[in-house]
Amino acid sequence: MDLGSRVDTLMDGLTADLVRLTAIPSVAFPGFPDEPVRRAHDLLVDLLRGAGVERVERLDLPDTAPVIVAEVPPPTPDAPTVLLYGHYDVQPPGDESLWLSPPFEPTPVEGGLRARGIADDKSNLIVHLGVLRAYGGRPPTGLRIVLEGQEEYGSAFDDYPPTDPARFACDAMVIADVGNLRPGSPTLTTGLRGASEIVVEVRTLDEPRHSGEFGGAAPDALLALLKALATLHDVHGDVAVEGLRREEWSGTTYTEEEFRTLAGVRDGMPLIGSGSLGERLWSGPAVTVVGIDAPGVDRAASAVVPYARAKLNLRFHPEQDPRQVQGLLVTHLESLRPFGIPLTVTPGDTGPGFEPATGGPAYRAALTALREGWGAEPAFVAGGGSIPLVNGLAKAVPGAEILLFGAQDSLCNLHAPNERVLFSELRSAVIAEAAFLREYAAAHRGGSTT
């Protein structure tokens, strides 16, 4: 039986397990109960053991949901070992009034299912399970399976792998926390932008003062802040902070129409910035004002504002150093004195991007596998978001090839209301991952992956 036919016989069971797993509200954010996170952990342990994995361990770290670390030994001494990664925690559901059905009640949609976390990242956990079942628990490579439970919020696990490299030793990794540019189009993610946060604030008066009597001379904190923020972009909307790297994008990207639909851009609104969408989204920087403290319009008094602050989110090229890049933005803001008013700039969290090596045997095997899974030529994209653990894994196993693909797609509404996954993407991802293990094992035996 070929892989496609074999996976077809598994789909009903995989779908049922996806429903069971997604019905568990495993949100690992402060203020949410721990019990559902532990329940998702326990279900996955049972599913792994049921799929033939004999060695399943629990890794406990301070203030971190338990990490599942499982292992399947290689079938022969010369077979490679592949690490499979995913996470079982999910984003909070947000405003439930925006959902068409309760977020933790998996609900049929055309061609798939809707629920919080069903695409990010529980469908990809089911992909790993499907591969194990397709091979009867005895794949052609060794496996290390790492499933964490606090990826969305962040935890001590992000920095753990380099402290215990033997636990993660492998020849290649499949990071299944991504997906396709569009449904039906197999996609390898070949870069992740870094991320940094900065708070800039202005304090000019002891308290508000009547705008009629003092406006025009009293230093307005909000005006100073807005003037400073306006320097971050040029007239086209491109980032104007000196030293931030931007390159042409040579991979696949969205059409403008696709991007407008995905972003929910209103009719008549222009997109900001210049150059290709790939440059603006992936190989160039972005500075976003994600929050601002100022008097609300509904309760605004006729007064000069004494204090204002803003939180900025910076996304940057994966090959730039995160501290250095954050310093460039801090320096830019600190050098400004709008109307002669100094700014207080406070750097926050910052994390590196990631750009995996391409061209090795695992990469070539993945191309063949993606063609088999989806029946189409693979596309190449980068990610604007970050996966902090990837850098930790890369440091722990510097010689391993790292591949990023999975069952999500750009229309799945991850982190948004009405998140969904398509059965066709789930099926194709299982076939592709199973085919990757076969092709990669063949490469180690001297076979071809072209």
Side-chain angles (χ1 to χ4, degrees):
M1 187 183 300
D2 64 23
L3 270 179
S5 299
R6 197 179 313 165
V7 171
D8 285 339
T9 67
L10 300 172
M11 282 300 294
D12 285 349
L14 293 174
T15 300
D17 289 329
L18 178 60
V19 168
R20 291 171 64 198
L21 184 61
T22 309
I24 301 173
S26 51
V27 180
F29 278 61
F32 288 83
D34 294 338
E35 186 275 333
V37 178
R38 310 282 172 168
R39 188 152 37 101
H41 166 278
D42 293 347
L43 174 57
L44 284 168
V45 169
D46 290 344
L47 290 174
L48 287 171
R49 288 178 173 152
V53 182
E54 296 178 0
R55 183 175 178 180
V56 183
E57 298 179 350
R58 169 174 166 157
L59 174 63
D60 287 302
L61 298 173
D63 302 315
T64 300
V67 180
I68 299 169
V69 183
E71 185 174 350
V72 177
T76 61
D78 62 339
T81 294
V82 176
L83 185 149
L84 305 178
Y85 167 81
H87 65 88
Y88 62 88
D89 64 307
V90 302
Q91 280 282 321
D95 184 353
E96 296 192 21
S97 69
L98 300 177
W99 286 76
L100 299 176
S101 54
F104 292 106
E105 291 183 14
T107 301
V109 298
E110 184 177 357
L113 290 168
R114 176 176 59 236
R116 168 55 87 225
I118 201 161
D120 182 19
D121 188 40
K122 291 179 177 178
S123 60
N124 284 322
L125 304 183
I126 297 298
V127 169
H128 297 332
L129 188 69
V131 170
L132 286 165
R133 291 177 181 173
Y135 284 117
R138 297 294 177 264
T141 69
L143 293 180
R144 292 185 186 273
I145 302 169
V146 178
L147 310 179
E148 69 167 313
Q150 203 167 306
E151 189 273 346
E152 298 290 5
Y153 183 72
S155 74
F157 188 55
D158 291 346
D159 301 315
Y160 177 79
T163 70
D164 189 9
R167 191 187 290 269
F168 306 96
C170 62
D171 300 286
M173 306 181 195
V174 175
I175 307 297
D177 192 13
V178 292
N180 293 334
L181 182 69
R182 53 185 69 91
S185 177
T187 304
L188 272 177
T189 297
T190 57
L192 299 169
R193 283 197 296 193
S196 184
E197 291 187 339
I198 286 174
V199 172
V200 54
E201 54 189 322
V202 187
R203 187 177 296 278
T204 57
L205 305 172
D206 293 333
E207 57 188 9
R209 284 291 186 263
H210 192 294
S211 59
E213 296 199 17
F214 296 95
D220 187 315
L222 183 54
L223 280 179
L225 178 63
L226 295 176
K227 189 170 181 63
L229 297 180
T231 70
L232 298 176
H233 298 83
D234 66 17
V235 294
H236 304 292
D238 294 318
V239 175
V241 178
E242 188 175 351
L244 297 183
R245 183 170 170 180
R246 175 171 171 160
E247 297 176 349
E248 290 187 9
W249 176 252
S250 58
T252 311
T253 188
Y254 302 113
T255 66
E256 183 170 324
E257 182 179 357
E258 283 178 320
F259 182 77
R260 284 179 171 277
T261 299
L262 288 170
V265 179
R266 291 177 175 265
D267 290 344
M269 287 292 104
L271 303 185
I272 67 170
S274 62
S276 73
L277 281 171
E279 286 179 51
R280 284 179 271 176
L281 298 173
W282 300 324
S283 61
V287 179
T288 306
V289 181
V290 296
I292 192 162
D293 290 338
V297 171
D298 291 342
R299 296 188 178 183
S302 297
V304 179
V305 175
Y307 174 77
R309 69 173 178 167
K311 186 174 187 178
L312 308 180
N313 181 266
L314 167 65
R315 302 287 170 155
F316 54 89
H317 192 282
E319 292 189 356
Q320 286 201 280
D321 178 84
R323 292 293 176 191
Q324 180 185 38
V325 169
Q326 187 182 58
L328 293 172
L329 181 52
V330 169
T331 299
H332 174 94
L333 290 166
E334 287 181 338
S335 69
L336 302 173
R337 294 180 66 87
F339 311 118
I341 298 169
L343 308 175
T344 300
V345 185
T346 305
D349 292 338
T350 189
F354 182 74
E355 193 164 59
T358 57
Y363 176 82
R364 294 192 296 272
L367 295 182
T368 299
L370 289 169
R371 292 186 192 102
E372 182 171 341
W374 275 273
E377 196 64 23
F380 304 90
V381 302
S386 58
I387 306 175
L389 182 68
V390 174
N391 286 282
L393 290 170
K395 290 176 183 177
V397 195
E401 290 186 72
I402 299 180
L403 306 161
L404 294 97
F405 65 89
Q408 302 169 14
D409 67 81
S410 62
L411 302 178
C412 71
N413 281 355
L414 74 165
H415 292 211
N418 303 307
E419 182 178 350
R420 66 101 181 100
V421 75
L422 297 176
F423 297 134
S424 59
E425 297 299 288
L426 179 64
R427 173 186 181 273
S428 293
V430 176
I431 295 170
E433 189 172 288
F436 167 70
L437 299 186
R438 182 197 67 213
E439 293 294 316
Y440 190 45
H444 274 252
R445 294 194 305 269
S448 173
T449 61
T450 58

